[in-house]
């Protein structure tokens, strides 16, 4: 039996963690819940993960901080940024920083599930990987 892909869910918001974890259940992945960037960084250093889903703002930093850390890793782990900001400039900022995709919260469940499945499957191109 194949092992499940590991996905880091980095959010300080319990409601958002619950929603994202629920969506990941239908994607056949194992969520690793990280309520802070520090915990997400530790997971990323210890083990390979297939995907990171990150709030744009956590108690100890931002999605941009996480994108910088992921860029230092040898693997090209895709990062999906989830944000309450529906802001074109911020969207461009995180995409240029290397995000796989950006989803405005509250996310449409079908859209969020599609984006996560595409990222885990390796569909599409990680920004900045050309």
């Amino acid at each position: 039996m194949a092992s499940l892909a590991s996905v880091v869910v980095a959010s300080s918001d319990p409601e958002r963690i619950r929603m994202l974890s629920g969506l990941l259940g239908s994607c056949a992945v194992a969520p690793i819940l990280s309520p802070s960037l520090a915990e997400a960084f530790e997971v990323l250093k210890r083990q390979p993960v297939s995907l990171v889903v990150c709030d744009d703002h956590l108690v100890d930093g931002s999605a941009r901080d996480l994108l910088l850390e992921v860029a230092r890793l040898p693997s090209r782990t895709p990062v999906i940024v989830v944000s309450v900001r529906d802001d074109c400039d911020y969207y461009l900022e995180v995409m240029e920083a290397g995000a796989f995709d950006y989803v405005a919260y509250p996310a449409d469940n079908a859209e969020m599930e599609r984006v996560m499945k595409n990222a885990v499957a390796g569909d599409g191109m990680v920004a900045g990987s050309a």
Side-chain angles (χ1 to χ4, degrees):
M1 180 176 189
S3 63
L4 296 177
S6 295
V7 176
V8 171
V9 178
S11 178
S12 302
D13 182 322
E15 178 187 325
R16 211 163 301 158
I17 280 189
R18 196 170 29 259
M19 184 273 296
L20 294 169
S21 297
L23 289 173
L24 286 168
S26 64
C27 298
V29 298
I32 301 168
L33 308 180
S34 298
S36 69
L37 287 177
E39 288 185 35
F41 292 162
E42 285 305 311
V43 171
L44 291 167
K45 290 175 189 173
R46 279 195 323 263
Q47 68 187 72
V49 297
S50 299
L51 172 66
V52 176
V53 180
C54 181
D55 266 345
D56 63 336
H57 204 80
L58 286 96
V59 295
D60 58 347
S62 69
R64 187 160 174 73
D65 298 327
L66 186 120
L67 288 164
L68 292 172
E69 182 72 17
V70 168
R72 292 185 200 114
L73 299 173
S75 63
R76 298 293 293 182
T77 305
V79 177
I80 299 171
V81 175
V82 179
S83 177
V84 295
R85 298 167 60 176
D86 192 9
D87 176 338
C88 185
D89 290 335
Y90 186 69
Y91 165 82
L92 292 172
E93 181 183 323
V94 297
M95 294 303 288
E96 288 173 1
F100 178 85
D101 210 338
Y102 173 95
V103 179
Y105 185 85
D108 172 78
N109 286 358
E111 175 69 7
M112 191 68 199
E113 187 175 327
R114 181 192 64 75
V115 170
M116 289 189 296
K117 283 183 178 179
N118 286 345
V120 170
D123 295 345
M125 186 174 198
V126 176
S129 65

